[in-house]
Amino acid sequence: MAYSAPRGTVDILSDNSGQWQQLEQLLRTICANYNVKEMRTPIFEHTELFTRAVGDTTDVVTKEMYTFEDKKGRSMTLRPEGTAGIARSYVENKLYALPEKLQKYYYMGPMFRYERPQSGRQRQFHQFGVEMIGLESPYVDVEAMVLAVTVVEALGLQDITLHINSLGDEESRDAYREALKKHFEPVIKDLCYDCQQRYEKNPLRILDCKVDREHPFMNDAPHTIDYLSENAKAHFDKVCELLDDLEIEYVIDTNLVRGLDYYSHTVFEVISDDPKLGAGATVGGGGRYNTLISELGGPDVPGVGFAFGMERLLIANSDVDAEEDGLDVYVMPLGNEAKDLAMQIVTMLRANGFTCDMDQCDRGLKGQFKSADRFHAHFSMIIGEEEVKKEVVNMKCNHSKEQNEVLLENIVAFIEAHYEGGHDHE
Ligand code: HAM
């Protein structure tokens, strides 16, 4: 039987892992800049966490979760997103009791959604996410958005737009829910079964429907922004004012509602028109969630955050050259005795912090030089019978083509002197 990776999953082969590491490093550096610390939560959680946090009428919960029973019959789910786990951990570890009222976390890792795979959409994919928990202030919404914009700018992504909207507070949402119900009432029987359920339980989710997307009543559905309470409007106006002051470009997208239930007030998405992703692809999105922490049993503490799909960031950024650093030394033994010595030398060099490797295939010089080339080795270190006898090695600098016989005990000093002498050939 030939085994293949499950549909919607991808092997990140070693040719590509350099690009991933580069992206991860960049994201870590930006987070350090923003004083955002890493949090790592489990890849699976109790199913009820997601049902409660993400919402039992969302597509993510009703159609896309990888749910299984463990050996004790408990229902577990592979995380479809990161916010619920972070919020659960925040409550469970009583992080609200820390002296610093605003806690800022980031995470990176695999998420799982049973979706139809296509370019930029997988069943196991990776998210980079940020959660800022503790304050209701619009300044924090804007800090999160600026961080998101910093990421796409640092990656040099083209044709990017920040879309923002407000869902308002509870008062606004109640008013909006009524307006939506009134709007869809005359046609609810024509809508799909799911929408009829949504109509009863959570009419906002009708707007995500993929089946009834083209229905004429979808287009002229009321907008959340027209139902904002005074407080919610003041919050949103301040967000816009702060973005203006910082000269961050954005568009107010009154159709933006997001597909997860925990949002209130500000929601936003970073949309790319890069043809590699397909026009209008969402690279990342997020928003404020003021009741999530209390719904999970914590105190009344608000939060705001976002997540990017890392595959999408990489697709949009695929022009960036992720040239790997080469080896310092590739050790090329000829014969068994030389191989024994080579093993000692690579171990010693690695212990001294040099990146190196040796030929393990007992090949002739030609094949070994080809490997040195492929690994972009700065030095080829040739060890033949003669060298073993004389207790030396032959160091060839692959940049200057200079060749030197070096005593075994002088190898480290020789490499250091070579680099210090400006021979790092960067
Ligand atoms: P989301 O919009 O569901 O939000 O996902 C965020 C991003 O993850 C998407 O914009 C997309 O780039 C990527 N993504 C989602 N599904 C897939 C998939 N099947 N394949 C590839 N990429 C995908 C959230 O998950 C929220 N937790 C964001 C958030 C954080 N809100 C507040 N804090």
Side-chain angles (χ1 to χ4, degrees):
M1 157 165 191
Y3 294 102
S4 56
R7 189 164 140 76
T9 70
V10 168
D11 295 316
I12 298 169
L13 299 178
S14 56
D15 276 358
N16 283 335
S17 59
Q19 259 198 342
W20 278 83
Q21 286 173 10
Q22 224 182 33
L23 173 64
E24 287 157 9
Q25 192 46 53
L26 178 88
L27 297 170
R28 287 184 200 286
T29 306
I30 293 173
C31 285
N33 259 192
Y34 279 75
N35 196 25
V36 177
K37 304 280 197 281
E38 188 180 23
M39 166 117 76
R40 300 186 190 199
T41 61
I43 297 222
F44 64 93
E45 299 266 4
H46 291 283
T47 303
E48 302 93 79
L49 173 70
F50 300 114
T51 320
R52 188 72 207 261
V54 175
D56 56 6
T57 48
T58 58
D59 277 359
V60 170
V61 166
T62 54
K63 300 182 180 155
E64 297 171 1
M65 294 209 301
Y66 279 90
T67 297
F68 59 97
E69 275 193 3
D70 73 4
K71 291 192 191 299
K72 285 255 166 77
R74 288 169 293 223
S75 182
M76 298 290 169
T77 293
L78 297 183
R79 61 183 187 190
E81 60 99 55
T83 313
I86 297 277
R88 195 261 315 133
S89 172
Y90 178 87
V91 174
E92 186 172 350
N93 294 294
K94 300 191 172 55
L95 302 177
Y96 45 81
L98 291 172
E100 219 37 72
K101 202 165 169 201
L102 180 62
Q103 291 288 315
K104 304 194 278 187
Y105 310 112
Y106 78 90
Y107 50 91
M108 286 185 229
M111 307 288 162
F112 306 84
R113 294 186 193 177
Y114 193 85
E115 292 194 83
R116 203 164 57 78
Q118 51 187 274
S119 170
R121 182 178 302 157
Q122 295 169 194
R123 291 183 173 166
Q124 174 172 341
F125 60 100
H126 296 76
Q127 276 188 352
F128 157 71
V130 168
E131 311 297 346
M132 300 185 172
I133 308 179
L135 293 177
E136 185 157 2
S137 161
Y139 287 81
V140 187
D141 302 27
V142 172
E143 188 182 14
M145 287 191 237
V146 178
L147 205 170
V149 169
T150 305
V151 166
V152 288
E153 280 181 354
L155 285 166
L157 301 196
Q158 305 292 316
D159 307 320
I160 288 286
T161 324
L162 173 65
H163 288 228
I164 70 170
N165 192 20
S166 174
L167 304 181
D169 50 15
E170 237 172 290
E171 186 188 334
S172 331
R173 295 184 66 163
D174 286 347
Y176 181 63
R177 198 172 301 122
E178 283 317 305
L180 263 187
K181 285 186 96 160
K182 216 162 153 197
H183 175 76
F184 283 111
E185 195 178 3
V187 290
I188 189 64
K189 287 202 177 64
D190 307 336
L191 300 183
C192 72
Y193 174 78
D194 283 352
C195 279
Q196 296 181 14
Q197 302 292 305
R198 292 171 183 134
Y199 182 83
E200 294 305 330
K201 286 193 185 160
N202 188 0
L204 184 74
R205 294 276 74 94
I206 295 177
L207 303 176
D208 308 331
C209 185
K210 290 176 185 115
V211 180
D212 290 320
R213 200 173 11 207
E214 307 298 335
H215 193 284
F217 270 58
M218 286 288 185
N219 272 336
D220 57 1
H223 294 137
T224 55
I225 209 150
D226 297 324
Y227 294 85
L228 296 185
S229 68
E230 233 171 85
N231 269 346
K233 187 169 181 327
H235 185 100
F236 190 56
D237 287 346
K238 186 68 188 175
V239 167
C240 296
E241 183 194 315
L242 290 169
L243 287 171
D244 290 337
D245 288 350
L246 292 167
E247 295 181 5
I248 306 277
E249 282 179 32
Y250 61 90
V251 294
I252 297 178
D253 177 352
T254 51
N255 289 323
L256 179 63
V257 293
R258 306 275 301 137
L260 313 167
D261 272 352
Y262 45 64
Y263 293 115
S264 50
H265 287 284
T266 320
V267 285
F268 61 97
E269 284 188 351
V270 177
I271 310 274
S272 162
D273 271 322
D274 189 319
K276 282 189 277 225
L277 279 167
T282 306
V283 196
R288 180 159 275 289
Y289 43 88
N290 283 354
T291 53
L292 176 61
I293 301 289
S294 62
E295 273 167 37
L296 298 180
D300 192 12
V301 170
V304 58
F306 66 84
F308 279 109
M310 294 175 75
E311 282 80 4
R312 295 186 191 183
L313 289 179
L314 281 174
I315 292 172
N317 186 39
S318 57
D319 297 339
V320 168
D321 187 16
E323 175 101 357
E324 269 181 62
D325 288 342
L327 295 178
D328 291 311
V329 185
Y330 187 66
V331 181
M332 301 170 32
L334 298 163
N336 284 341
E337 274 181 74
K339 206 170 168 190
D340 290 350
L341 179 58
M343 191 75 197
Q344 300 221 8
I345 293 175
V346 286
T347 307
M348 179 278 292
L349 284 174
R350 287 168 178 163
N352 277 278
F354 295 106
T355 57
C356 58
D357 209 346
M358 64 179 273
D359 177 72
Q360 298 279 14
C361 307
D362 306 318
R363 290 174 300 175
L365 271 185
K366 201 168 153 207
Q368 299 200 39
F369 266 121
K370 278 196 179 144
S371 292
D373 237 25
R374 277 193 291 267
F375 293 134
H376 306 291
H378 192 116
F379 287 107
S380 298
M381 178 191 286
I382 304 141
I383 314 176
E385 274 174 33
E386 203 49 28
E387 281 81 9
V388 175
K389 243 183 256 155
K390 285 166 70 183
E391 301 192 348
V392 295
V393 294
N394 201 321
M395 297 285 278
K396 179 177 175 200
C397 171
N398 290 320
H399 298 274
S400 66
K401 312 291 177 212
E402 243 174 66
Q403 218 157 316
N404 287 282
E405 212 172 72
V406 181
L407 281 171
L408 293 184
E409 63 265 33
N410 289 344
I411 293 173
V412 169
F414 175 83
I415 299 172
E416 277 171 352
H418 184 88
Y419 282 160
E420 271 160 26
H423 287 268
D424 54 1
H425 311 290
E426 285 304 322

